[in-house]
Amino acid sequence: KNEVEQSPQNLTAQEGEFITINCSYSVGISALHWLQQHPGGGIVSLFMLSSGKKKHGRLIATINIQEKHSSLHITASHPRDSAVYICAVRSSYNTDKLIFGTGTRLQVFP
Amino acid sequence: GAVVSQHPSWVICKSGTSVKIECRSLDFQATTMFWYRQFPKQSLMLMATSNEGSKATYEQGVEKDKFLINHASLTLSTLTVTSAHPEDSSFYICSAVGDRLYGYTFGSGTRLTVV
């Protein structure tokens, strides 16, 4: 079993829909990251969370430390949001290495 | 914000030759850099961790003599794929950590094709 699990693996949506991607982890963490990887391969860091909730534009990320669960929400989705979204955690015991989820491939159609 | 520049973005080389990939932090000092490999439709696989001025720490199963990592300064790390073979063809990406307040910054990746 992976230490970081994401669901769903694949997601298709119509433009304007509200999207939720989930991440569960089984290790103690010092921080959780949500990353976005576009088809060209480059990766952008969207959020770094250690508690609570963060919002940036149409993106919202939440984390529940007790339940070891995080969600990434996209409001009013747009075709340009199509990408792979990756959850990654930094272990409490190794302060620098990231443990990656397998990613969620999102396609938003106009 | 923090920017990491990775070059080249793609490279094609012949079997047996060596290829160097550079990763530079443009506006911050990267105390630690990570090198990852990614196969199609799979997640990132950590190859090694490099700290400025010291030897890189390689993950299990990664050949250190094949994937040479140098982190000579706080803004530059290089990955050299030596004696490349077609099975080394992959997407390689680096990330850098400076001030942990900003987390990780990723390079744009290098697609290596060995023919």
Side-chain angles (χ1 to χ4, degrees):
Chain A
K1 191 178 190 299
N2 292 336
E3 292 170 303
V4 180
E5 297 271 0
Q6 279 184 245
S7 63
Q9 284 190 315
N10 295 284
L11 185 55
T12 57
Q14 209 68 33
E15 183 173 357
E17 285 184 10
F18 180 84
I19 287 162
T20 296
I21 300 170
N22 295 299
C23 176
S24 296
Y25 52 92
S26 56
V27 295
I29 68 167
S30 58
L32 181 143
H33 298 256
W34 281 103
L35 311 170
Q36 180 191 55
Q37 185 171 32
H38 277 282
I43 292 176
V44 173
S45 180
L46 299 174
F47 294 104
M48 180 174 69
L49 292 162
S50 54
S51 65
K53 175 180 175 179
K54 285 189 177 179
K55 184 176 190 292
H56 185 251
R58 294 180 294 107
L59 302 178
I60 302 166
T62 63
I63 188 168
N64 185 317
I65 297 292
Q66 286 73 32
E67 294 186 4
K68 296 189 173 179
H69 181 269
S70 176
S71 293
L72 176 69
H73 306 286
I74 305 175
T75 61
S77 60
H78 191 277
R80 65 174 174 265
D81 297 327
S82 299
V84 176
Y85 292 84
I86 303 168
C87 171
V89 302
R90 190 166 76 213
S91 166
S92 299
Y93 302 104
N94 185 313
T95 56
D96 286 336
K97 282 187 188 179
L98 290 178
I99 305 170
F100 294 90
T102 51
T104 295
R105 189 172 299 272
L106 170 66
Q107 282 189 299
V108 182
F109 294 99
Chain B
V3 176
V4 170
S5 174
Q6 185 173 341
H7 290 282
S9 54
W10 61 270
V11 58
I12 301 172
C13 70
K14 290 185 177 180
S15 287
T17 61
S18 295
V19 173
K20 182 185 282 189
I21 302 170
E22 285 191 354
C23 187
R24 289 181 187 272
S25 57
L26 297 187
D27 47 6
F28 67 103
Q29 293 185 325
T31 52
T32 305
M33 285 194 177
F34 301 91
W35 288 96
Y36 304 92
R37 183 174 180 175
Q38 187 179 34
F39 293 103
K41 298 194 176 181
Q42 293 189 24
S43 195
L44 287 81
M45 182 189 78
L46 179 65
M47 299 174 66
T49 304
S50 75
N51 294 292
E52 184 263 339
S54 60
K55 288 185 179 180
T57 303
Y58 289 81
E59 295 299 300
Q60 196 170 12
V62 178
E63 298 176 60
K64 61 182 179 183
D65 295 329
K66 180 163 189 63
F67 298 100
L68 299 179
I69 291 171
N70 185 281
H71 193 160
S73 76
L74 283 171
T75 59
L76 175 65
S77 178
T78 60
L79 166 67
T80 302
V81 183
T82 62
S83 187
H85 287 97
E87 57 264 31
D88 298 326
S89 299
S90 192
F91 186 71
Y92 294 88
I93 191 165
C94 65
S95 72
V97 177
D99 181 344
R100 284 178 177 72
L101 180 67
Y102 297 103
Y104 298 76
T105 304
F106 288 82
S108 53
T110 298
R111 188 161 303 283
L112 170 65
T113 303
V114 184
V115 296

